[in-house]
């Protein structure tokens, strides 16, 4: 999962890009980067780390220009070295910068085509660089010295013909403009908006609407599935549908966990959808556990608060904040290595004993992925004096890996993989476990009568991948790349490469 932003302004955009990345920081804490364009010259700063650490004053003053692209990243494919930080740049044709959120499911085939047929060179293992080179090749084969927006749209159409998977991208061509596009299923989010200034209209493309809101841009709308948006350096906006067959199939896990609650994705309020998740979960408890003995509902910070509060209200049970969160610890399920994850949970959360002592507690979380965090939180509740500890998930059991840009672990590392709900409960060590039903989750997210979503990508829950090209062989290869052993080996390789470089 990554956060992307592109701006065409009437004055320097370095501060606006930086502010947008801070708002999108929840989408990736591994690396950050900004490329700006001043006249025909590009200015770049990118490195591993949080945006606030990557960009110092000395870097910001060098990011000149009224047009630029930014990115925050956590790795879903390839290595995690600073060489993989985005945006990426390719010199031919014209010079193109691109930042990408998502994952290409046919990346290996595309890599072979680029090297053998298109005669293009790749410097990294990132599929984002593959996407950039596919776009560059589709633009180059048009053979024009000077291009216009229609050439960009034809290149995006070529990307859609060749690429499979979930992808949202924003790019920039020096002296020409900024563009953005979304895959034909619109799995990953992308929006665009405008801001009126005394100098004229400025435009912005970003992963989430909250990035527009916080710096004064007005939302125009979501980029449609298969659509491309182009803003010229002069501030002219153009849009075009670049694929014949498209369906709106956003990833439902954006609403469960990843997106900020104050965002609106595909005309659906993330906050309201999470509120409805709580109502649906309360209805299931009334239906299947009417004689419950729950004394208090306590959310697992932070994403589950909205659902937990609604659940408590619907059941007429007390709601309490029982955990204090250290906000300077990253998300645990994307941390490599089980020992690191276990250590970080205790660093991240601390229980308030008074809220647990001698009570039957229902803990509510947005989802259960590996179960590492949930196991320790349940034990923390017991250590704080809880009489009974129940656990509720606002999402169904996560049984399958995500292949469209969320670095969920290999299937064998998912706690619900190959286990019944009762077995998961025993593994977690809870006195009772309840999951949201998938049908209820879909209804909670889908605004009846107001949303135009054709279907949601619910593949992490049911294994039904909307692109239709995910085979058992692909998943086996994915598991080999994503399991903890593989990631630890890549980490050692990166460190060895750095040591070798420093010794020369």
């Amino acid at each position: 999962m990554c956060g992307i932003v592109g701006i065409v302004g009437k004055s320097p955009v370095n501060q606006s890009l930086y502010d947008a990345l801070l708002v999108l920081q929840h989408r990736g804490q591994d690396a950050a980067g900004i490329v700006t364009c001043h006249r025909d010259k590009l200015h770049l700063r990118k490195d591993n780390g949080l945006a606030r650490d990557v960009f110092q004053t000395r870097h910001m003053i060098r990011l000149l220009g009224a047009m630029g692209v930014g990115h925050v990243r956590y790795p879903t494919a390839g290595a995690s070295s600073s060489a993989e930080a985005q945006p990426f740049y390719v010199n031919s044709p014209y010079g193109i910068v691109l930042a990408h959120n998502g994952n290409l499911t046919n990346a290996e085939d595309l890599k072979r085509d680029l090297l053998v047929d298109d005669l293009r060179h790749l410097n990294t293992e990132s599929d984002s660089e593959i996407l950039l080179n596919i776009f560059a090749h589709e633009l180059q084969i048009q053979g024009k010295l000077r291009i216009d927006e229609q050439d960009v749209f034809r290149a995006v159409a070529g990307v859609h013909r060749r690429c499979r998977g979930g992808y949202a991208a924003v790019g920039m061509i020096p002296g020409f403009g900024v563009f953005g596009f979304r895959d034909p299923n619109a799995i990953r989010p992308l929006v665009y908006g405008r801001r009126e200034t005394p100098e004229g209209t400025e435009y912005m493309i970003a992963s989430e609407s909250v990035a527009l809101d916080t710096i004064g841009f007005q939302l125009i709308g979501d980029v449609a599935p298969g659509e491309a948006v182009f803003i010229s350096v002069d501030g002219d906006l153009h849009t075009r549908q670049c694929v014949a067959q498209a369906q709106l199939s956003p990833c439902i896990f954006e609403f469960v966990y990843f997106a900020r609650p104050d965002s609106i994705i595909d005309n659906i309020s993330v906050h309201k959808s999470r509120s409805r998740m709580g109502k649906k979960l309360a209805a299931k408890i009334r239906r299947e556990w009417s004689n419950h003995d729950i004394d208090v509902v306590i959310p697992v910070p932070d994403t589950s608060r909205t659902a937990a509060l609604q659940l408590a209200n619907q059941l007429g049970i007390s709601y309490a904040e029982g955990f204090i969160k250290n906000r300077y610890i990253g998300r645990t399920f994307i941390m490599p290595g089980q020992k690191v994850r276990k250590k970080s949970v205790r660093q991240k959360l601390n229980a308030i004993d008074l809220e647990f002592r001698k009570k039957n507690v229902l803990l509510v979380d947005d989802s259960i992925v590996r179960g590492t965090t949930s196991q320790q939180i349940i034990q923390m509740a017991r250590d704080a004096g809880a009489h009974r500890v129940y656990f509720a998930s606002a999402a169904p059991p996560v049984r399958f890996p995500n292949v469209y840009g969320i670095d969920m672990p290999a299937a064998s590392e998912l706690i619900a993989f190959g286990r019944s709900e009762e077995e998961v409960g025993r593994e977690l060590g809870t006195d009772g476990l309840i999951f949201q039903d998938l049908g209820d989750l879909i209804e909670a997210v889908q605004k009846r009568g107001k949303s135009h979503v054709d279907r949601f990508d619910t593949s992490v829950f049911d294994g039904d991948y909307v692109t239709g090209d995910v085979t058992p062989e692909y998943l086996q290869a994915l598991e080999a790349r994503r399991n903890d052993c593989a990631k630890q080996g890549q980490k050692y390789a990166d460190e060895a490469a750095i040591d070798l470089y420093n010794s020369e």
Side-chain angles (χ1 to χ4, degrees), residues 141-307:
I141 61 176
Q142 297 181 48
K144 298 178 69 174
L145 293 176
R146 296 181 63 84
I147 58 174
D148 59 24
E149 67 277 1
Q150 297 305 320
D151 301 311
V152 172
F153 294 149
R154 280 189 285 270
V156 172
V159 168
H160 292 330
R161 284 194 300 271
R162 298 177 64 178
C163 295
R164 300 289 180 270
Y167 53 90
V170 60
M172 177 174 64
I173 301 174
F176 182 55
V178 166
F179 60 91
F181 57 88
R182 204 173 175 194
D183 72 79
N185 293 289
I187 297 171
R188 302 266 69 89
L190 195 65
V191 300
Y192 63 109
R194 65 159 59 89
R195 177 172 67 182
E196 300 299 334
T197 73
E199 294 81 17
T201 304
E202 299 180 324
Y203 289 96
M204 178 176 175
I205 306 170
S207 290
E208 294 185 35
S209 63
V210 66
L212 303 175
D213 301 338
T214 55
I215 54 177
F217 282 78
Q218 298 295 315
L219 177 68
I220 296 174
D222 298 271
V223 177
E227 186 180 34
V229 174
F230 174 77
I231 304 116
S232 73
V233 68
D234 297 322
D236 297 322
L237 173 68
H238 306 270
T239 65
R240 178 175 160 183
Q241 176 55 255
C242 298
V243 66
Q245 299 294 326
Q247 66 171 352
L248 182 55
S249 308
C251 174
I252 205 165
F253 213 75
E254 290 276 357
F255 300 91
V256 170
Y257 176 69
F258 258 105
R260 271 185 45 152
D262 42 350
S263 281
I264 296 174
I265 298 175
D266 295 313
N267 199 33
I268 299 171
S269 164
V270 176
H271 171 75
K272 287 294 187 181
S273 67
R274 290 176 183 167
S275 177
R276 292 190 290 266
M277 290 176 206
K279 292 180 180 179
K280 292 287 187 181
L281 198 53
K284 182 173 181 179
I285 291 174
R286 282 198 303 266
R287 186 171 64 248
E288 298 185 2
W289 191 17
S290 58
N291 61 340
H292 67 79
D293 57 353
I294 303 167
D295 297 318
V296 62
V297 173
I298 295 178
V300 177
D302 285 312
T303 321
S304 63
R305 280 196 173 102
T306 305

Side-chain angles (χ1 to χ4, degrees), residues 4-5 23 68 94 116 118 160 170 200 217 245 255-257 293 347 353 355 371 389 406 434 460 479 491 503:
I4 58 177
V5 58
V23 175
Y94 317 114
V116 176
D118 299 347
H160 292 330
V170 60
F217 282 78
Q245 299 294 326
F255 300 91
V256 170
Y257 176 69
D293 57 353
Q347 292 174 333
D353 292 3
E355 299 295 349
V389 181
I406 300 177
I434 189 161
V460 296
E479 175 152 359
K491 177 184 177 184
S503 67

Side-chain angles (χ1 to χ4, degrees), residues 352-385:
I352 302 173
D353 292 3
L354 290 175
E355 299 295 349
F356 292 91
R357 194 172 300 151
K358 298 181 180 179
K359 296 178 182 178
N360 296 331
V361 177
L362 176 64
L363 303 178
V364 180
D365 207 350
D366 50 76
S367 58
I368 304 172
V369 182
R370 291 180 186 265
T372 308
T373 302
S374 303
Q375 287 171 332
Q376 293 193 62
I377 288 173
I378 290 166
Q379 187 59 48
M380 288 170 67
R382 294 196 190 282
D383 293 343

Side-chain angles (χ1 to χ4, degrees), residues 69 71 96 138-139 148 159 164 179 202 242 278 316 353 357 387 405 407 409 437 454 461 474 501 503:
V69 169
H71 186 269
I96 305 170
E138 293 297 321
L139 198 57
D148 59 24
V159 168
R164 300 289 180 270
F179 60 91
E202 299 180 324
C242 298
D353 292 3
R357 194 172 300 151
H387 178 59
D407 193 23
D437 292 336
D454 296 309
F461 305 122
Y474 177 84
Y501 175 83
S503 67

Side-chain angles (χ1 to χ4, degrees), residues 440-458:
D440 285 345
L441 176 63
I442 293 171
E443 286 187 13
V445 179
Q446 175 82 61
K447 282 199 311 182
R448 191 170 299 170
K450 294 184 179 181
S451 174
H452 302 291
V453 173
D454 296 309
R455 60 174 290 191
F456 289 97
D457 172 60
T458 57

